[in-house]
């Protein structure tokens, strides 16, 4: 296993379109996180899953955003009716639930809404 | 809401010099992580600090955690150009990681 994988790496979309990103975590990790990072800022938490259950969502996650993790493996993050303010790097991370909860991040998906 | 503050936000230092980056946080936690991010890249894990008094060292970087003071430090010894990057601390509350504002480090020859 080579780490957390995200697809696509880059996405350019027109305002109003829907986009979907995929994250494949490290296989033995049961926690999966989504973060958003804009230029010059630290990553902001969006949501996290433990196995297939979505346990916490940020207020940043408006009703246009939805995340799933069917069967507790890969996860998808969908943004509907994209807005220019959605332009950011979307980062996925995974970790164990245990004494060492170090999170490993994927390469991210850079979204540009034009 | 938990706040994680790093200082300085920007740091320009000469090669060979020493410096410390500070990370203060506003809630009880005994788990803190340091990450490095190069421009346009994702986050690379540097240190995992899981208890009060934890100290970890890797090369020219050393991180420590004081949970009573809610403070972590990242010390840079004899800086080299390759250390130029943005450094983030992140506090683990059990449900999510709260990231600091980041410290953009530039090492000047």
């Amino acid at each position: 296993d080579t780490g957390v994988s995200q697809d696509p790496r880059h996405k350019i979309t027109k305002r109003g379109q829907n986009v979907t990103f995929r994250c494949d975590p490290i296989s033995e990790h049961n926690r999966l996180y989504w973060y958003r990072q804009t230029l010059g800022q630290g990553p902001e938490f969006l949501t996290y899953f433990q196995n297939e259950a979505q346990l916490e969502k940020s207020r940043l996650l408006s009703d246009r955003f939805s995340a799933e993790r069917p069967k507790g493996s890969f996860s998808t993050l969908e943004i509907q009716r994209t807005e220019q303010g959605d332009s950011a790097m979307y980062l996925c991370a995974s970790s164990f639930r245990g004494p060492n909860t170090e999170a490993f991040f994927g390469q991210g998906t850079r979204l540009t809404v034009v | 809401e938990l706040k994680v503050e790093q200082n300085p936000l920007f740091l320009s230092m000469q090669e060979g010099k020493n410096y410390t980056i500070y990370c203060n946080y506003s809630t009880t936690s005994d788990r803190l992580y340091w990450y490095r991010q190069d421009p346009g890249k994702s986050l690379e894990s540097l240190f995992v600090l899981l208890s009060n008094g934890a100290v970890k060292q890797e090369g020219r970087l050393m991180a420590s955690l004081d949970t009573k003071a809610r403070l972590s430090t990242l010390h840079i010894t004899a800086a080299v150009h390759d250390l130029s990057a943005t450094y983030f601390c992140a506090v683990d509350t059990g449900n999510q990681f709260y990231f600091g504002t980041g410290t953009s480090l530039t090492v000047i020859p």
Side-chain angles (χ1 to χ4, degrees):
Chain A
D1 187 52
T2 56
V4 180
S5 175
Q6 291 188 247
D7 183 70
R9 296 287 304 279
H10 303 274
K11 179 71 176 178
I12 300 174
T13 191
K14 291 184 179 179
R15 192 173 52 185
Q17 298 292 305
N18 299 344
V19 294
T20 300
F21 310 141
R22 177 179 170 125
C23 172
D24 287 272
I26 293 172
S27 56
E28 59 267 30
H29 285 178
N30 54 10
R31 285 195 166 186
L32 186 147
Y33 305 84
W34 284 100
Y35 281 80
R36 181 174 71 184
Q37 186 178 26
T38 52
L39 198 62
Q41 302 296 315
E44 297 173 297
F45 172 78
L46 292 177
T47 189
Y48 100 92
F49 293 84
Q50 184 159 305
N51 300 314
E52 66 275 12
Q54 188 174 19
L55 295 186
E56 190 160 331
K57 293 194 289 187
S58 164
R59 287 170 295 177
L60 293 175
L61 214 65
S62 75
D63 56 5
R64 295 186 298 107
F65 287 71
S66 63
E68 294 182 344
R69 192 183 182 197
K71 302 177 185 178
S73 55
F74 71 93
S75 176
T76 58
L77 178 68
E78 181 183 16
I79 309 174
Q80 296 182 327
R81 306 181 302 281
T82 52
E83 302 172 356
Q84 285 191 315
D86 297 331
S87 296
M89 174 80 90
Y90 290 84
L91 295 163
C92 175
S94 69
S95 74
F96 279 117
R97 180 178 186 272
N100 182 347
T101 55
E102 181 181 8
F104 294 87
F105 282 80
Q107 292 300 304
T109 294
R110 183 167 295 284
L111 173 67
T112 303
V113 182
V114 297
Chain B
E1 183 176 303
L2 186 152
K3 292 193 183 302
V4 183
E5 295 181 342
Q6 287 181 235
N7 72 81
L9 298 182
F10 299 93
L11 176 57
S12 180
M13 56 189 298
Q14 285 189 311
E15 278 190 333
K17 297 293 187 183
N18 304 335
Y19 208 85
T20 300
I21 299 170
Y22 297 89
C23 173
N24 290 89
Y25 54 97
S26 64
T27 194
T28 302
S29 175
D30 57 2
R31 298 166 188 251
L32 188 139
Y33 308 91
W34 283 95
Y35 288 89
R36 169 183 170 142
Q37 188 174 40
D38 291 295
K41 304 290 188 182
S42 189
L43 296 157
E44 174 190 354
S45 179
L46 293 176
F47 296 108
V48 177
L49 303 169
L50 299 178
S51 62
N52 185 40
V55 177
K56 296 280 184 74
Q57 182 163 5
E58 179 74 32
R60 300 173 188 275
L61 300 178
M62 183 172 71
S64 67
L65 178 61
D66 181 344
T67 58
K68 291 182 170 53
R70 299 179 184 175
L71 171 69
S72 180
T73 62
L74 180 66
H75 186 71
I76 303 155
T77 302
V80 292
H81 180 68
D82 286 352
L83 292 180
S84 297
T86 299
Y87 294 85
F88 292 97
C89 62
V91 176
D92 180 3
T93 62
N95 290 338
Q96 59 174 284
F97 299 85
Y98 285 87
F99 282 82
T101 44
T103 297
S104 177
L105 171 65
T106 303
V107 180
I108 303 167

